[in-house]
Every structure is written in structure tokens, then in C-alpha cells.
Amino acid sequence: MDEAHRVSGRIGKPWAVVHDNTRIPSLRRLYVTATPRLWQLGDEDEAGAPGELVASMDDDPDGPFGGRAFTLTLSEAIDRGICAPYEVVCVDATGTALQAAQLLGAEGRSAKVRGARFAALQTALVKASSEENFRRTLVFHHVVKEAEAFAAGLPDIAAHLHAADRSCNRPRSGWPVSLAGFPLGQWAADARRFYARGEMDADRVAQLEKLGMVWSHFDVAWEEGLAAARGWAAENCHLLAPLSATFQGAAVASG
């Protein structure tokens, strides 16, 4: 059971039933949590008041959770490559004009003020990326169009900041900060998604097709498989191919 700390504490919790072997019979239970919770009885509980504690996550072989089987610390998980090392970077937008505008009630939600806030966030992200050497960033938005606009505008923001302050570094390759360390395959996958939704400009479609863009891996795999199946069937006069069958190096199988 993951998030096992949720079934610790007072007996009134509905989830505490998992400890009751008469209601949920089990030979063994494995509890997993990143935040073990230890509980103690208070004076009211000791006096027999309602809400008696049902479970504390002590390392106790006779307790509801049993003895601790294994502990993996965050630092060890990072060393093993299971968890990503992380630091919390707090970015503070100090522009007094923007702060004042956001306090104007309904006017603070106008397109002009929202646009200024958008630009401030883009600027803050690019500067933080340069100063902290971010390899990639993940930004959350309530609206998909805002997320796309945020990403699309970052290269221009990065170029503007770099022109104004050379210490705001761009990658050695000359790519915009927004694409520093960004996997090319992910970028291509995003392009395919926009294309499939009909949200890509015709000139961008033409630019990618000029480079030999493959819009659908499934279509390519189908055409290649069909070509191999035709060749094998022509040689064998049927298509009841064994799983190991190949034609000119391409796999052919009837399943």
C-alpha cells in the first residue's frame, strides 16, 4: 500500500479498515510511504475519550505497521539515479508598476496587465535559467493557448535580454535558452501534435516537410510492413508467414 501514512492515526478514519484482518484478510501487508507519521496518545485518549489512536508508524514488529523492512533516503535515491536532484529557486518580480497594476481590481485583469505579467514571468524564467544553468523547465498554465504563447515567446525574450546584458548567456550553440538541453525528439513530437490538431501554420509545415519530416510513425510503419508483406507473399504465394519470417531484412509475421 502506497501513501501508507494516510491510514495512520485515529480509528475513525475510513481507510484504517485496512489494518483489520477480520474485514480484509491478508497473510502479509506491505506499507510504503515517504512521510512516516508517528503518533502518541494524549491525555484525553488515555482517559478513554473517543478517537483512540489505531496506528502509529513506529519501527515496531508488534505494531499495526510492523517492523521497518527497508529505508531509502532521498540522497541515496538521487545517487542511484532514481530521483532527480532538485533545488527550490524562488523568483521575485520586483517591478513596482506591475505590482501596482495587479491591485487595480477589475482593471488588474485587463489584457494589458495580463500581458505585462506574462512578459515579466518570461523574463524571470530566462534570467533564472541563465543564472542557475537550467537544462530544461516545466511551466504550468491554466490555458493551453497561454502555455503555447509562453513557449513561443521565450526565444525573443532571451535574445532581447542577451542583447541588453551579455551576462545573460545564451547556449554556446546559439540556440535560444528555451531550447537549451531540450531533446530534439520531444520538439519533433510536439510539432507532430500541433500538426495533427491542425494548429500549425502552412509555412512551418512546408519548412518541416522540406527537411523530410515524418508526420506519423504509424503510417510509415504500415507502409514498410505492407511492402515487406507484398514481397514475401510474392515469393511464397501466401501470407501465412511464421513469426521469424523476414523480407529483405524487414520483419514479416502473420501473428
Side-chain angles (χ1 to χ4, degrees):
M1 174 182 293
D2 196 9
E3 300 292 320
H5 56 274
R6 294 184 178 274
V7 295
S8 68
R10 300 183 182 278
I11 199 170
K13 283 190 174 184
W15 289 5
V17 69
V18 301
H19 302 300
D20 190 345
N21 212 47
T22 62
R23 301 177 66 180
I24 304 180
S26 177
L27 294 177
R28 288 183 176 84
R29 291 178 173 83
L30 178 63
Y31 299 97
V32 182
T33 182
T35 53
R37 294 181 180 175
L38 305 180
W39 298 79
Q40 290 182 340
L41 288 170
D43 293 337
E44 293 181 355
D45 297 303
E46 291 175 351
E52 179 182 3
L53 294 179
V54 64
S56 177
M57 304 187 78
D58 300 283
D59 185 8
D60 180 7
D62 297 323
F65 290 94
R68 186 170 298 169
F70 184 75
T71 299
L72 179 66
T73 64
L74 176 60
S75 59
E76 186 177 355
I78 291 174
D79 291 340
R80 291 188 181 186
I82 299 172
C83 294
Y86 70 92
E87 296 179 1
V88 177
V89 178
C90 296
V91 178
D92 185 16
T94 58
T96 55
L98 176 61
Q99 293 175 352
Q102 290 181 305
L103 298 176
L104 296 177
E107 294 183 10
R109 296 188 294 273
S110 66
K112 181 178 180 181
V113 174
R114 290 176 68 244
R117 176 180 176 275
F118 209 68
L121 292 175
Q122 289 174 311
T123 301
L125 176 59
V126 171
K127 283 190 172 183
S129 299
S130 175
E131 294 170 2
E132 302 294 335
N133 294 319
F134 292 167
R135 288 188 298 174
R136 64 191 64 176
T137 58
L138 179 66
V139 183
F140 293 93
H141 296 266
H142 293 294
V143 181
V144 173
K145 288 186 176 180
E146 286 193 356
E148 294 174 347
F150 190 93
L154 278 178
D156 292 337
I157 293 290
H160 176 77
L161 291 174
H162 181 67
D165 181 4
R166 295 291 173 174
S167 65
C168 188
N169 296 323
R170 300 182 73 178
R172 290 189 301 271
S173 63
W175 284 68
V177 171
S178 61
L179 293 179
F182 192 80
L184 179 58
Q186 181 61 56
W187 180 85
D190 291 341
R192 292 189 186 96
R193 187 169 63 254
F194 292 138
Y195 175 81
R197 296 202 306 244
E199 298 177 357
M200 181 174 287
D201 295 338
D203 59 335
R204 293 188 176 183
V205 173
Q207 290 172 352
L208 289 172
E209 289 183 341
K210 187 176 181 180
L211 297 176
M213 180 65 169
V214 175
W215 294 116
S216 172
H217 292 300
F218 299 104
D219 290 346
V220 172
W222 168 260
E223 293 298 333
E224 291 178 348
L226 183 61
R230 282 174 177 157
W232 196 91
E235 289 185 353
N236 296 273
C237 300
H238 64 82
L239 195 54
L240 189 61
L243 291 176
S244 59
T246 62
F247 179 79
Q248 296 181 351
V252 179
S254 62

